[in-house]
Amino acid sequence: MSRQVFLYDHPERFVAGTVGLPGRRTFYLQASTAGRTTSVALEKAQVEALAERIDELLDEVVRRTGGSAPVPAVAPAEATDTAPLETPVDEEFRVGTMALAWDGEDECVVVEAQALVELEVESEEELADAEERLLRDDENGPPVLRVRISGTTARSFAKRAMEVVRAGRPPCPLCSLPLDPEGHVCPRQNGYRRQP
């Protein structure tokens, strides 16, 4: 079966968002343009890591170009997207591997999210070979979402993604684990139930 590539070259919208209540949320990346929408599911930690790496990448681009690249230092207020995910949210695949790059020729960020793939291997060498094959842009590889966005859109994406991650359950002031509405068993309290 040939590989599915969901390609968005400067889409109208590229955001991270969630479906569900705090503590039971499902995280998505969603790209939309011209009546076409692609949603892929991923873990909260992946959203957070992607947002952090995008900011780091853009800071490095600004540093290396001496500020001449079209990358704002912070997300502009007019580029802020606070709208919910477009519905219906139909998951194309669950993300396993992500890649991030700066295309210096087109002056844009390239984000790739590749489908999670289960590998059955017997040794470390087989695992290394299997991972290498997955990273190649093979026509029979797993599905991939490939999005090319401007520096401004990337800054806005990163800002929103971090806000989405932080919008979950508040952390316990003692152990930093998430507090449920009913409280939680706090390891710092020797197992006593801590109320919010």
Side-chain angles (χ1 to χ4, degrees):
M1 186 170 101
S2 65
R3 176 182 216 173
Q4 278 187 294
V5 177
F6 301 93
L7 179 62
Y8 287 85
D9 195 0
H10 298 279
E12 294 167 7
R13 188 168 191 233
F14 180 57
V15 295
T18 62
V19 173
L21 298 172
R24 292 173 179 75
R25 298 184 297 169
T26 302
F27 288 78
Y28 292 94
L29 295 180
Q30 191 176 74
S32 306
T33 197
R36 180 174 71 112
T37 300
T38 302
S39 303
V40 296
L42 67 168
E43 298 297 322
K44 177 181 179 179
Q46 289 174 299
V47 174
E48 185 173 29
L50 180 60
E52 289 172 354
R53 297 307 177 273
I54 285 175
D55 270 340
E56 290 171 7
L57 173 68
L58 294 175
D59 290 345
E60 183 66 15
V61 168
V62 168
R63 188 185 70 73
R64 286 188 181 193
T65 63
S68 66
V71 176
V74 295
E78 65 273 6
T80 301
D81 182 348
T82 58
L85 294 174
E86 292 184 28
T87 57
V89 179
D90 295 323
E91 177 183 323
E92 296 293 340
F93 58 84
R94 179 158 284 282
V95 175
T97 304
M98 292 188 298
L100 182 63
W102 173 257
D103 182 338
E105 193 173 300
D106 291 338
E107 296 187 319
C108 68
V109 174
V110 180
V111 178
E112 258 189 33
Q114 183 174 286
L116 181 64
V117 176
E118 303 262 341
L119 298 175
E120 293 182 26
V121 294
E122 301 285 324
S123 67
E124 290 293 321
E125 293 81 28
E126 287 180 22
L127 178 62
D129 290 342
E131 287 175 339
E132 181 63 32
R133 282 193 308 275
L134 283 175
L135 293 176
R136 284 189 229 129
D137 210 2
D138 184 15
E139 68 179 44
N140 295 319
V144 65
L145 170 66
R146 187 173 296 144
V147 182
R148 299 168 58 80
I149 53 177
S150 69
T152 300
T153 302
R155 279 281 189 216
S156 296
F157 171 88
K159 180 179 182 223
R160 175 189 166 121
M162 289 309 292
E163 289 169 357
V164 165
V165 166
R166 289 188 205 113
R169 298 171 289 170
C172 171
L174 297 176
C175 69
S176 299
L177 292 173
L179 284 172
D180 290 320
E182 311 82 46
H184 81 119
V185 178
C186 182
R188 300 269 318 264
Q189 292 283 319
N190 259 350
Y192 288 100
R193 182 165 290 280
R194 176 147 178 84
Q195 299 301 320

Short mmCIF file of all heavy atoms in Angstrom, two decimals, residues 5-7 14 31 38 58-59 68 73 79 83 88 98 110 113 116 128 131 133 145 147 149 152 155-156 160 164 183:
data_model
loop_
_atom_site.label_atom_id
_atom_site.label_comp_id
_atom_site.label_asym_id
_atom_site.label_seq_id
_atom_site.Cartn_x
_atom_site.Cartn_y
_atom_site.Cartn_z
N VAL A 5 0.37 10.85 2.34
CA VAL A 5 1.03 12.07 2.77
C VAL A 5 -0.02 13.17 2.76
O VAL A 5 -0.58 13.50 1.72
CB VAL A 5 2.21 12.44 1.84
CG1 VAL A 5 2.83 13.76 2.28
CG2 VAL A 5 3.25 11.33 1.82
N PHE A 6 -0.30 13.70 3.94
CA PHE A 6 -1.23 14.81 4.09
C PHE A 6 -0.38 16.08 4.07
O PHE A 6 0.21 16.45 5.07
CB PHE A 6 -2.02 14.69 5.40
CG PHE A 6 -2.80 13.42 5.50
CD1 PHE A 6 -2.26 12.29 6.12
CD2 PHE A 6 -4.08 13.33 4.98
CE1 PHE A 6 -2.97 11.11 6.22
CE2 PHE A 6 -4.82 12.16 5.09
CZ PHE A 6 -4.26 11.05 5.70
N LEU A 7 -0.30 16.71 2.90
CA LEU A 7 0.58 17.85 2.70
C LEU A 7 -0.20 19.15 2.77
O LEU A 7 -1.22 19.31 2.09
CB LEU A 7 1.29 17.74 1.34
CG LEU A 7 2.23 18.88 0.98
CD1 LEU A 7 3.38 18.98 1.97
CD2 LEU A 7 2.76 18.68 -0.43
N PHE A 14 -3.28 25.98 11.27
CA PHE A 14 -2.54 24.85 11.83
C PHE A 14 -2.48 25.06 13.33
O PHE A 14 -1.87 26.03 13.80
CB PHE A 14 -1.15 24.74 11.23
CG PHE A 14 -0.35 23.59 11.79
CD1 PHE A 14 -0.82 22.28 11.70
CD2 PHE A 14 0.87 23.80 12.40
CE1 PHE A 14 -0.09 21.22 12.22
CE2 PHE A 14 1.61 22.75 12.91
CZ PHE A 14 1.13 21.45 12.81
N ALA A 31 -4.66 20.58 10.71
CA ALA A 31 -4.32 21.48 9.61
C ALA A 31 -5.54 21.61 8.71
O ALA A 31 -6.21 20.62 8.44
CB ALA A 31 -3.13 20.93 8.82
N THR A 38 -7.28 17.93 8.23
CA THR A 38 -6.64 16.70 8.67
C THR A 38 -6.34 16.83 10.16
O THR A 38 -5.74 17.82 10.58
CB THR A 38 -5.34 16.44 7.90
OG1 THR A 38 -5.63 16.37 6.50
CG2 THR A 38 -4.69 15.13 8.34
N LEU A 58 12.97 28.71 16.12
CA LEU A 58 12.79 30.07 15.64
C LEU A 58 13.77 31.04 16.30
O LEU A 58 14.27 31.95 15.64
CB LEU A 58 11.34 30.53 15.86
CG LEU A 58 10.29 29.77 15.03
CD1 LEU A 58 8.90 30.22 15.41
CD2 LEU A 58 10.53 29.92 13.55
N ASP A 59 14.04 30.84 17.59
CA ASP A 59 15.04 31.69 18.27
C ASP A 59 16.41 31.51 17.62
O ASP A 59 17.14 32.49 17.43
CB ASP A 59 15.13 31.33 19.76
CG ASP A 59 13.89 31.75 20.54
OD1 ASP A 59 13.09 32.57 20.02
OD2 ASP A 59 13.71 31.25 21.67
N SER A 68 17.27 39.06 10.39
CA SER A 68 16.80 39.38 9.04
C SER A 68 15.73 38.40 8.54
O SER A 68 15.02 38.71 7.58
CB SER A 68 17.97 39.41 8.06
OG SER A 68 18.53 38.12 7.93
N ALA A 73 9.87 37.86 17.24
CA ALA A 73 10.46 37.42 18.51
C ALA A 73 9.41 36.78 19.41
O ALA A 73 9.70 35.86 20.16
CB ALA A 73 11.10 38.60 19.22
N ALA A 79 -2.20 37.42 15.18
CA ALA A 79 -2.11 36.07 14.62
C ALA A 79 -2.61 35.01 15.60
O ALA A 79 -2.56 33.82 15.30
CB ALA A 79 -0.66 35.77 14.24
N ALA A 83 -9.85 29.80 18.48
CA ALA A 83 -11.04 29.04 18.10
C ALA A 83 -10.85 27.56 18.39
O ALA A 83 -9.73 27.04 18.36
CB ALA A 83 -11.35 29.26 16.63
N PRO A 88 -16.33 17.79 12.33
CA PRO A 88 -15.97 16.74 13.27
C PRO A 88 -14.47 16.49 13.28
O PRO A 88 -13.80 16.69 12.28
CB PRO A 88 -16.72 15.52 12.73
CG PRO A 88 -16.81 15.77 11.25
CD PRO A 88 -16.93 17.26 11.10
N MET A 98 7.94 12.65 15.28
CA MET A 98 7.79 14.00 14.74
C MET A 98 9.15 14.52 14.30
O MET A 98 10.18 14.15 14.86
CB MET A 98 7.19 14.94 15.78
CG MET A 98 5.76 14.62 16.12
SD MET A 98 4.97 15.84 17.19
CE MET A 98 5.96 15.75 18.66
N VAL A 110 9.03 23.54 8.70
CA VAL A 110 8.43 22.31 8.21
C VAL A 110 8.21 21.40 9.42
O VAL A 110 9.15 21.09 10.14
CB VAL A 110 9.33 21.61 7.18
CG1 VAL A 110 8.66 20.33 6.67
CG2 VAL A 110 9.66 22.55 6.03
N ALA A 113 4.62 14.94 11.15
CA ALA A 113 4.11 14.03 12.16
C ALA A 113 3.83 12.70 11.47
O ALA A 113 2.98 12.63 10.58
CB ALA A 113 2.86 14.59 12.81
N LEU A 116 2.31 6.31 14.29
CA LEU A 116 2.93 5.35 15.19
C LEU A 116 2.98 3.99 14.51
O LEU A 116 2.00 3.55 13.91
CB LEU A 116 2.09 5.26 16.47
CG LEU A 116 2.58 4.34 17.56
CD1 LEU A 116 3.93 4.81 18.10
CD2 LEU A 116 1.56 4.30 18.69
N ALA A 128 17.53 -0.82 15.06
CA ALA A 128 18.18 0.32 14.41
C ALA A 128 17.88 0.34 12.91
O ALA A 128 17.59 1.39 12.34
CB ALA A 128 19.69 0.28 14.65
N GLU A 131 14.16 1.35 12.40
CA GLU A 131 13.96 2.78 12.63
C GLU A 131 14.52 3.59 11.46
O GLU A 131 13.92 4.57 11.04
CB GLU A 131 14.62 3.20 13.95
CG GLU A 131 13.87 2.72 15.16
CD GLU A 131 14.58 3.04 16.47
OE1 GLU A 131 15.82 3.27 16.45
OE2 GLU A 131 13.91 3.04 17.51
N ARG A 133 14.77 2.66 8.31
CA ARG A 133 13.84 2.51 7.18
C ARG A 133 12.62 3.41 7.34
O ARG A 133 12.13 3.99 6.39
CB ARG A 133 13.41 1.06 7.03
CG ARG A 133 14.44 0.17 6.37
CD ARG A 133 13.86 -1.17 5.95
NE ARG A 133 13.15 -1.87 7.00
CZ ARG A 133 13.71 -2.67 7.91
NH1 ARG A 133 15.02 -2.85 7.90
NH2 ARG A 133 12.98 -3.28 8.82
N LEU A 145 1.75 13.53 8.21
CA LEU A 145 1.21 14.88 8.05
C LEU A 145 2.41 15.79 7.91
O LEU A 145 3.28 15.83 8.79
CB LEU A 145 0.37 15.28 9.27
CG LEU A 145 -0.05 16.75 9.35
CD1 LEU A 145 -1.01 17.10 8.21
CD2 LEU A 145 -0.68 17.06 10.70
N VAL A 147 3.48 19.74 7.18
CA VAL A 147 2.94 21.10 7.16
C VAL A 147 4.09 22.09 7.05
O VAL A 147 5.08 22.00 7.78
CB VAL A 147 2.12 21.39 8.44
CG1 VAL A 147 1.52 22.77 8.40
CG2 VAL A 147 1.04 20.34 8.64
N ILE A 149 4.83 26.11 7.35
CA ILE A 149 4.22 27.33 7.87
C ILE A 149 5.25 28.44 8.01
O ILE A 149 6.44 28.18 8.17
CB ILE A 149 3.52 27.07 9.22
CG1 ILE A 149 4.48 26.40 10.22
CG2 ILE A 149 2.26 26.24 9.04
CD1 ILE A 149 3.91 26.17 11.61
N THR A 152 5.77 33.44 11.57
CA THR A 152 4.70 34.04 12.36
C THR A 152 3.68 32.99 12.77
O THR A 152 3.27 32.91 13.94
CB THR A 152 4.00 35.17 11.57
OG1 THR A 152 4.99 36.17 11.25
CG2 THR A 152 2.88 35.80 12.37
N ARG A 155 5.20 30.71 15.46
CA ARG A 155 5.20 31.33 16.80
C ARG A 155 3.81 31.25 17.42
O ARG A 155 3.65 30.93 18.59
CB ARG A 155 5.62 32.78 16.75
CG ARG A 155 7.07 33.04 16.67
CD ARG A 155 7.79 32.91 18.00
NE ARG A 155 9.14 33.41 17.80
CZ ARG A 155 10.20 32.92 18.37
NH1 ARG A 155 10.10 31.91 19.22
NH2 ARG A 155 11.38 33.41 18.12
N SER A 156 2.80 31.54 16.63
CA SER A 156 1.42 31.49 17.13
C SER A 156 1.02 30.07 17.49
O SER A 156 0.35 29.85 18.49
CB SER A 156 0.46 32.06 16.09
OG SER A 156 0.75 33.42 15.88
N ARG A 160 -0.13 28.91 21.31
CA ARG A 160 -1.41 28.25 21.56
C ARG A 160 -1.21 26.84 22.12
O ARG A 160 -1.90 26.42 23.04
CB ARG A 160 -2.24 28.17 20.28
CG ARG A 160 -3.54 27.39 20.48
CD ARG A 160 -4.26 27.13 19.18
NE ARG A 160 -5.29 26.13 19.34
CZ ARG A 160 -6.57 26.34 19.08
NH1 ARG A 160 -6.98 27.51 18.66
NH2 ARG A 160 -7.44 25.36 19.25
N VAL A 164 -2.76 25.30 25.52
CA VAL A 164 -3.59 24.10 25.54
C VAL A 164 -3.04 23.09 26.55
O VAL A 164 -3.80 22.50 27.32
CB VAL A 164 -3.67 23.48 24.12
CG1 VAL A 164 -4.22 22.07 24.16
CG2 VAL A 164 -4.52 24.35 23.21
N GLY A 183 -9.62 15.43 44.39
CA GLY A 183 -8.34 15.40 45.08
C GLY A 183 -7.49 14.27 44.53
O GLY A 183 -7.82 13.67 43.52
#
